[in-house]
Amino acid sequence: MHYPEEVIEEVRARNDIVDVISSFVALKRSGSNYMCCCPFHSDKSPSFSVSRQKQMYYCFGCHEGGNVISFVMKHENFTFPEAIKYLADRVGYALPEMEYSEAEKQRANRKQQLRDVNTAAAAYFHFLLTKTERGKLGYKYFREKRGFTDETIRNFGLGFSDIYADDLYKYLKKKGFSDEIMRDAGLVDFDEKRGPHDKFWNRVMVPILDQNSKCVGFGGRVLGDGKPKYMNTKETEIFDKSHNLFALYLARRSRRRGMILCEGYMDVITQHQAGIDNAIASLGTAFTEGQAALIKRFTKEVYLAYDSDQAGTLAAKKAIQILRSMDMQQRVIDLSPHKDPDEFLSAEGVEAYEARIRDAIPGRLFLIRETAKGFRMDDPEEKAAMIREIARQIAESSDVAERASYCETVSAQYHLDEKLLRQEVNRIGLAGLEERRAVPRERDPVGTAESEEWEAPGVQGDPVRDEPRRDSGNRADRTEAHLLTWMVNRPELFDKLNTYVSEEDFTGRVREVAEQLFRQYRETGTVSPAAILSRYEESGDQREITEILYNEVPFETDQEAVEKALTELVRKLKQRRIDRQLRAGEGSTFELAKKKREIQKIVIHL
């Protein structure tokens, strides 16, 4: 399934990468580029660079890189066609009909069959619950134990799986579904001893719909003492727990502020029944970055309504860190003295719950509160240790006003000396600054390090990298990449170096990129590295190519130094090509040696 290459390039060209990325994260100008904390890994200092000139991005920390299409794919968890459509819609560009290969048609048809069999199973479970005598046990559980109305049962498509081990299998078989599809959808297991047997039986069933309202799986709660108590569909081609959220298809349409993230299905359903229709839940697993990215498509504000026990507190702490790394706001709802939203709403009602939502505290304040619980305030040493730990958490904020506000609030709340807390915050911030400055930095071919300063809390400067760049290969590879990057940054060098350099002087993946760049320049008189990236859908390929082209070369130096550096790079490139020819026995040894001596006479003049 793909669009013609010229369509892809048109969509990419119409979407400026800085404009698109700045709609998701806050970019700051740094020289000719833009920087921010990386949205793809936990990044405390800006290491994510965006080049408007190259229409590319690169993270010097986690080494993710690509163009505007790959950014949208990764950030929004889109497929390649979905990213193209998103970007086309963004600029009002009408896409043509997609072309499908035979293999793509088969994959699309298979995924549709998996969705169809899940939809059929959901309809059957709901029928058993609401229309048959056998479903009365499940209906009683939902109505009496959970307090769900018939409207709620209908809206969420709740159901019941029968006590017979092959009940669903027989129904789906009559509907014409194959054993393979039933198995691969995670609905039926097969073995030689038992034959076909339903994965879910004697359980109340909760259909799981994706963000587009398509049934992709189920959650089932056993009735009685069976194990496990809760069970979800296994991961399939259409159901990835780490990239799905329960009831997101409903919450995305809510007009309420943000989204409320819970731990369980029942908590979500109870809230929706109470009119709180922006509640969602992860799917029986820990909250993930993929789920955070999914939420971020619709809102950057998340309220955590996790269980108030120790496990819920630990889960909330992890979720806060993930949301913070994705530059999303986090607030925590205090459910005490109740365990979860379901219990709270049953005991105190929706108005009291709405008040708790309004009073939800910021995630950082929640973490500080949990930290303070571990120290004795009447013990001077423990109190000092608590101040240091709280100061460390406040110092993580990069916003001056926010740090000052936290120092004021926390000092008043825990009866601390505000001046002392501020001093400790500054001390920790400066210590971190010095530690990061000590990280060794790699030098460019000219022999001068790039100008980099660490941005300490409250100090304006150029953002920096968390770690030195990886070596993308051997020294020859780095020489080739540096020269190619220089030529991309200054396309006029393709003409200036035409006498000395060609595609054949490069090797490996660098040569693959060089061939495309030289072709671009011959055909158009300019180069577009971002267009090259559009030809690669695999993230690994995009990352490798970005690493080749994203080296920054300082052009602020004088022309004589630039000419000297280019001369050195061209000489090395040509010498290594001759070395390869000598090792391969290509051509006359005498002639190659003569050429090698002549290389030393090359002098680049701009």
Side-chain angles (χ1 to χ4, degrees), residues 120-121 123-129 132 134-135 160-175 182 187-189 194 196-203 205:
Y124 185 62
F125 291 146
H126 185 67
F127 172 77
L128 288 179
L129 180 79
T132 71
R134 291 177 289 165
F160 174 72
S161 56
D162 211 339
I163 59 173
Y164 303 107
D166 61 351
D167 185 65
L168 178 66
Y169 171 75
K170 290 179 178 178
Y171 171 78
L172 293 176
K173 198 69 174 174
K174 288 180 181 177
K175 298 289 289 184
M182 285 187 264
L187 293 170
V188 180
D189 284 337
R194 298 174 58 192
H197 52 280
D198 299 346
K199 189 73 174 178
F200 299 96
W201 57 278
N202 194 34
R203 292 176 182 270
M205 301 298 295

Side-chain angles (χ1 to χ4, degrees), residues 114-274:
L114 291 170
R115 285 190 285 267
D116 289 345
V117 75
N118 275 297
T119 300
Y124 185 62
F125 291 146
H126 185 67
F127 172 77
L128 288 179
L129 180 79
T130 58
K131 303 296 183 181
T132 71
E133 190 71 23
R134 291 177 289 165
K136 280 191 173 180
L137 184 63
Y139 183 77
K140 183 179 180 181
Y141 171 83
F142 282 134
R143 290 285 288 159
E144 297 180 9
K145 179 73 174 178
R146 292 294 179 177
F148 295 161
T149 65
D150 285 343
E151 182 181 11
T152 296
I153 291 172
R154 182 173 61 255
N155 288 343
F156 280 88
L158 303 180
F160 174 72
S161 56
D162 211 339
I163 59 173
Y164 303 107
D166 61 351
D167 185 65
L168 178 66
Y169 171 75
K170 290 179 178 178
Y171 171 78
L172 293 176
K173 198 69 174 174
K174 288 180 181 177
K175 298 289 289 184
F177 293 102
S178 69
D179 289 358
E180 179 187 8
I181 287 296
M182 285 187 264
R183 181 198 64 214
D184 293 347
L187 293 170
V188 180
D189 284 337
F190 296 85
D191 60 56
E192 292 183 3
K193 185 176 181 180
R194 298 174 58 192
H197 52 280
D198 299 346
K199 189 73 174 178
F200 299 96
W201 57 278
N202 194 34
R203 292 176 182 270
V204 286
M205 301 298 295
V206 181
I208 300 169
L209 278 60
D210 63 17
Q211 60 174 328
N212 298 312
S213 304
K214 305 297 184 183
C215 187
V216 294
F218 295 90
R221 185 196 187 281
V222 72
L223 294 179
D225 300 324
K227 299 291 182 180
K229 185 176 181 181
Y230 291 97
M231 184 169 68
N232 287 328
T233 297
K234 67 176 185 179
E235 294 204 351
T236 69
E237 294 170 53
I238 61 171
F239 181 50
D240 179 352
K241 295 176 186 177
S242 65
H243 289 85
N244 276 283
L245 288 155
F246 179 69
L248 181 63
Y249 71 101
L250 294 171
R252 63 181 292 187
R253 298 196 290 265
S254 174
R255 294 192 174 186
R256 296 175 65 90
R257 179 176 173 178
M259 289 190 185
I260 300 174
L261 181 62
C262 310
E263 289 188 79
Y265 308 132
M266 302 305 175
D267 290 331
V268 170
I269 296 172
T270 298
Q271 288 178 79
H272 277 258
Q273 181 168 275

Side-chain angles (χ1 to χ4, degrees), residues 525-544:
T526 187
V527 292
S528 174
I532 293 175
L533 283 171
S534 298
R535 300 180 179 183
Y536 299 88
E537 295 189 24
E538 294 296 327
S539 59
D541 292 333
Q542 293 175 347
R543 186 183 302 115
E544 188 176 353

